[in-house]
């Protein structure tokens, strides 16, 4: 069942979702797009550091870490 758009940082661990849009400042948005977080891409938060920042993501078979404030700029749909 699809839900309303949410931010990537707000999802529980291991919840598969699709990127709808990347917001934020131009340099941050550009870097996230370069990392493969483009609209339509499947992404999953697979880990969070003990202090809650950064988040570990699985994107297109690769793992990457981004800051929580950057994850809040990524609009997703489950």
């Amino acid at each position: 069942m699809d839900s309303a758009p949410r931010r990537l940082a707000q999802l529980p661990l291991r919840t598969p979702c699709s990127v709808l849009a990347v917001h934020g400042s131009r340099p941050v948005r550009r870097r996230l797009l370069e990392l493969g977080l483009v609209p339509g891409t499947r992404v999953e938060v697979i880990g969070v550091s003990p202090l809650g920042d950064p988040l570990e993501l699985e994107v297109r078979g690769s793992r990457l870490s981004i800051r929580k404030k950057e994850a809040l700029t990524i609009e997703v749909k489950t």
Side-chain angles (χ1 to χ4, degrees), residues 3-76:
S3 62
R6 294 169 59 181
R7 300 300 173 147
L8 185 59
Q10 299 170 330
L11 294 179
L13 287 178
R14 296 283 181 187
T15 303
C17 58
S18 293
V19 175
L20 290 178
V22 179
H23 304 284
S25 67
R26 188 176 191 158
V28 170
R29 187 172 60 243
R30 181 177 178 178
R31 183 67 181 141
L32 293 173
L33 293 170
E34 289 172 350
L35 289 170
L37 293 163
V38 297
T41 301
R42 299 291 293 169
V43 63
E44 189 174 324
V45 178
I46 58 172
V48 180
S49 73
L51 297 177
D53 198 24
L55 307 177
E56 184 180 9
L57 310 178
E58 186 167 276
V59 181
R60 300 178 187 232
S62 296
R63 292 185 176 192
L64 56 104
S65 294
I66 63 171
R67 294 180 189 109
K68 188 173 184 175
K69 86 175 196 181
E70 294 168 347
L72 287 168
T73 68
I74 302 169
E75 189 176 351
V76 297

